[in-house]
Amino acid sequence: DSGVTQTPKHLITATGQRVTLRCSPRSGDLSVYWYQQSLDQGLQFLIQYYNGEERAKGNILERFSAQQFPDLHSELNLSSLELGDSALYFCASSTRDSFNSPLHFGNGTRLTVT
Amino acid sequence: AQSVSQHNHHVILSEAASLELGCNYSYGGTVNLFWYVQYPGQHLQLLLKYFSGDPLVKGIKGFEAEFIKSKFSFNLRKPSVQWSDTAEYFCAVSVMNTGFQKLVFGTGTRLLVSP
């Protein structure tokens, strides 16, 4: 168990809809990272938050947004969903604002858009 | 384009065979290198990392990796694999980008070890 909790584990929704994925980091970790894993793109970095502030952005679409709350949990909002958004979405956390700290990953949320 | 390449997408080995998984990156400057592993049904976890010093780094479960700067490579090796090594292996590189660090993953290599 990595200590990172992601909910829900599975999500099935229709195109055009909006969903929210939730992540609780390991106790004491201030950084939260979101990654998207699809069969053709591999693991793609989406966004990082550190102690409530956005720190780095990767290949995140404008239809996607995220935030980190004062209790350090994070939510990833995906809107106007398309079939191509179907993927496994991972959250990871680390102690510091640095990718050199080992990332601790959650088990992911599998999103299926029909 | 800057990237992390894992050329072997699928590898099938018998138990006790030796393993080498390739990883090449195209980033210049200072990089930090990682291998992560994802066992079936489990989360990604760190296998080993290289920041500086001895280019041959040892990780958990008998894995090691060698950083060859001139070849922009960080290949993962294990002398004798076990069935329990069946997993997906991801090479990752942390780089500076527009003032921020980011961790870029390769597309992964699925290893199947047959008993």
Side-chain angles (χ1 to χ4, degrees):
Chain A
D1 183 11
S2 67
V4 178
T5 304
Q6 288 188 250
T7 57
K9 290 184 179 179
H10 301 276
L11 202 49
I12 302 175
T13 190
T15 54
Q17 296 298 304
R18 172 190 169 94
V19 297
T20 297
L21 313 183
R22 182 188 168 99
C23 170
S24 294
R26 269 191 341 160
S27 177
D29 284 359
L30 299 178
S31 272
V32 169
Y33 311 79
W34 286 97
Y35 280 85
Q36 179 193 57
Q37 185 182 32
S38 57
L39 284 174
D40 56 343
Q41 295 284 329
L43 262 170
Q44 296 285 316
F45 169 63
L46 296 178
I47 197 164
Q48 179 208 355
Y49 282 84
Y50 176 75
N51 205 19
E53 293 187 2
E54 182 183 303
R55 290 294 288 158
K57 248 182 178 177
N59 301 323
I60 188 166
L61 300 172
E62 285 190 11
R63 301 184 285 108
F64 297 0
S65 64
Q67 54 184 327
Q68 186 180 28
F69 294 88
D71 67 352
L72 301 178
H73 90 271
S74 178
E75 293 182 354
L76 179 67
N77 300 297
L78 315 176
S79 61
S80 303
L81 285 168
E82 301 175 0
L83 295 177
D85 298 327
S86 296
L88 195 53
Y89 291 84
F90 284 106
C91 168
S93 71
S94 68
T95 53
R96 297 184 293 149
D97 178 20
S98 167
F99 279 102
N100 295 337
S101 301
L103 300 190
H104 300 271
F105 283 82
N107 287 332
T109 293
R110 183 169 294 281
L111 172 67
T112 303
V113 182
T114 61
Chain B
Q2 297 178 324
S3 65
V4 179
S5 301
Q6 292 181 245
H7 304 294
N8 307 105
H9 298 295
H10 293 90
V11 173
I12 301 174
L13 294 173
S14 300
E15 273 193 315
S18 64
L19 169 72
E20 180 159 4
L21 302 182
C23 173
N24 289 89
Y25 61 94
S26 61
Y27 298 94
T30 302
V31 295
N32 296 307
L33 302 156
F34 307 80
W35 277 95
Y36 279 82
V37 60
Q38 186 176 22
Y39 296 102
Q42 295 188 28
H43 56 272
L44 275 144
Q45 55 188 289
L46 183 66
L47 200 53
L48 49 79
K49 61 186 178 184
Y50 172 78
F51 290 170
S52 62
D54 188 345
L56 185 62
V57 293
K58 295 191 183 299
I60 60 172
K61 304 185 181 184
F63 285 90
E64 64 180 32
E66 184 175 14
F67 171 52
I68 303 179
K69 189 174 182 179
S70 60
K71 294 186 178 180
F72 296 87
S73 70
F74 189 56
N75 292 354
L76 181 71
R77 299 195 292 249
K78 185 170 184 178
S80 176
V81 295
Q82 300 172 310
W83 175 80
S84 58
D85 293 325
T86 294
E88 190 160 14
Y89 294 81
F90 294 89
C91 179
V93 177
S94 75
V95 297
M96 290 296 292
N97 181 282
T98 62
F100 295 104
Q101 271 189 310
K102 66 174 185 176
L103 189 64
V104 180
F105 283 85
T107 51
T109 298
R110 286 184 185 268
L111 171 65
L112 175 63
V113 180
S114 57

